[in-house]
Amino acid sequence: MSGQLHGKVALVAGATRGAGRGIAVELGAAGATVYGTGRSTRAQRSDYDRPETIEDTAELVTRAGGNGIAVQVDHTDPDQVRELVRRIEAEQGRLDILINDLGGENLMDWHRPIWEQDLTKGLQRLRVGIEAHMITSHFALALLSKRPGGLVVELTDGTAEVHEQYYRSEGGAFFDIVKVAAHRLARAQGEELEKHGGTAVSLTPGWLRSEMMLELFGVTEENWRESATAPEGFGISESPQFVGRAVVALATDPEVARWNKESLSSGQLAKAYGFTDADGSQPDAWRYIIEVEWPGNPGSPDDYR
């Protein structure tokens, strides 16, 4: 898909690492100009306190064939988001793609009922995972809606089908509510953009081999199958490149409106569009999770790649 997005302008809100970085780089590989935002810069780390920076992401986007532009933004601050969108309009005159990938994964409070969870962390997760998305869309969609063909992608964790069947107890109430809200926000934006020729969807990767996940299991992207500590389910995991290719497939589809208001997964879209992960496979993590892992049925991750 090299060059298919030449002339298109994307905003990836939350492009510092993980899925956001993977999406930004793949959009760049397709020729797009990508504004990648985050709070972690080479001069200042965010509360994630990790080494990845938005400047690194911008360089990767440009190296892939696009035009990467790093902007430090706290998306819970309306003034900062307003200025970001004003800058995009002044410099580019358009916005074609908005990716809302603001999740606050550093705020996880694992396997606790709501009355035992850290309330400060929980409320901050709501701010990052819901409020910041709505602030960003409030300003960005005023620009994106000026041209037909705009695309909004709300990143989440799990499909609407999964969230209808299961309570996400691993992360607790705050986590569950944030991830479910992404589907409804995509539905709302899809309803409102439809008359302007725009499309909005929610999209989930599977088990993502993010920088944090690889570090947790003591492996790299090159030897991830060799972890001595990862559970069997890690065998269904995917690189950030995979969900990035899912976004590019949507962004380059002239009939993308057929997906408007839908809940989608990277594995589902790989089957629909034919793209693969970096290793040539098509991992369908959520199908494996709901058919094998969570119900405790027999099956191997390799059967779902």
Side-chain angles (χ1 to χ4, degrees):
M1 295 184 182
S2 176
Q4 289 193 37
L5 293 178
H6 180 74
K8 300 292 187 179
V9 179
L11 166 57
V12 181
T16 311
R17 59 183 66 83
R21 175 175 283 188
I23 291 167
V25 173
E26 288 301 310
L27 287 169
T33 291
V34 181
Y35 286 77
T37 66
R39 294 173 297 135
S40 298
T41 70
R42 289 171 181 169
Q44 179 183 8
R45 287 192 180 190
S46 73
D47 55 354
Y48 272 78
D49 194 26
R50 290 193 54 83
E52 301 88 18
T53 71
I54 53 172
E55 294 95 339
D56 293 339
T57 298
E59 289 182 359
L60 289 168
V61 169
T62 301
R63 197 178 306 155
N67 178 23
I69 302 170
V71 188
Q72 185 180 28
V73 177
D74 180 344
H75 285 262
T76 65
D77 184 336
D79 290 338
Q80 292 187 37
V81 180
R82 180 189 294 110
E83 289 307 308
L84 166 67
V85 175
R86 284 177 176 171
R87 174 179 170 180
I88 294 171
E89 185 168 22
E91 293 178 353
Q92 310 296 335
R94 63 188 295 161
L95 179 63
D96 304 287
I97 303 162
L98 170 63
I99 310 298
N100 264 329
D101 183 35
L102 306 158
E105 307 315 314
N106 62 318
L107 300 168
M108 290 296 289
D109 204 355
W110 295 98
H111 301 290
R112 297 185 183 201
I114 189 170
W115 60 89
E116 292 181 2
Q117 289 202 311
D118 184 309
L119 182 59
T120 299
K121 281 186 177 181
L123 293 177
Q124 182 63 13
R125 180 176 271 284
L126 296 182
R127 288 198 70 206
V128 174
I130 299 177
E131 186 177 332
H133 285 234
M134 300 190 79
I135 290 170
T136 304
S137 291
H138 171 78
F139 293 108
L141 266 60
L143 178 56
L144 182 142
S145 64
K146 290 183 178 180
R147 293 171 178 266
L151 173 66
V152 179
V153 179
E154 293 289 335
L155 262 289
T156 186
D157 185 320
T159 63
E161 177 190 6
V162 168
H163 291 141
E164 286 171 3
Q165 294 184 52
Y166 294 95
Y167 168 56
R168 303 300 299 281
S169 60
E170 72 274 24
F174 295 104
F175 174 84
D176 183 86
I177 288 169
V178 164
K179 300 310 179 185
V180 170
H183 305 305
R184 195 64 187 178
L185 182 52
R187 167 69 184 272
Q189 292 174 114
E191 292 279 355
E192 294 173 355
L193 285 172
E194 199 165 31
K195 63 174 94 42
H196 300 281
T199 298
V201 301
S202 62
L203 174 63
T204 178
W207 190 338
L208 193 74
R209 292 197 300 276
S210 65
E211 297 87 348
M212 295 169 69
M213 191 60 63
L214 291 171
E215 185 176 286
L216 175 66
F217 293 133
V219 289
T220 66
E221 182 57 29
E222 289 68 39
N223 69 349
W224 66 270
R225 286 185 175 274
E226 300 173 15
S227 174
T229 58
E232 180 183 6
F234 193 53
I236 197 60
S237 65
E238 63 197 55
S239 76
Q241 188 174 8
F242 195 50
V243 72
R245 290 177 175 179
V247 169
V248 170
L250 291 170
T252 56
D253 182 356
E255 298 181 356
V256 67
R258 63 191 161 127
W259 300 110
N260 192 33
K261 299 176 279 189
E262 292 292 322
S263 161
L264 307 170
S265 72
S266 51
Q268 171 192 3
L269 290 179
K271 299 295 192 297
Y273 287 105
F275 63 85
T276 65
D277 204 347
D279 63 359
S281 69
Q282 292 181 317
D284 195 347
W286 286 106
R287 194 164 65 88
Y288 167 77
I289 289 167
I290 63 176
E291 291 181 6
V292 177
E293 185 171 343
W294 286 356
N297 292 328
S300 166
D302 291 338
D303 297 333
Y304 290 81
R305 292 196 73 86

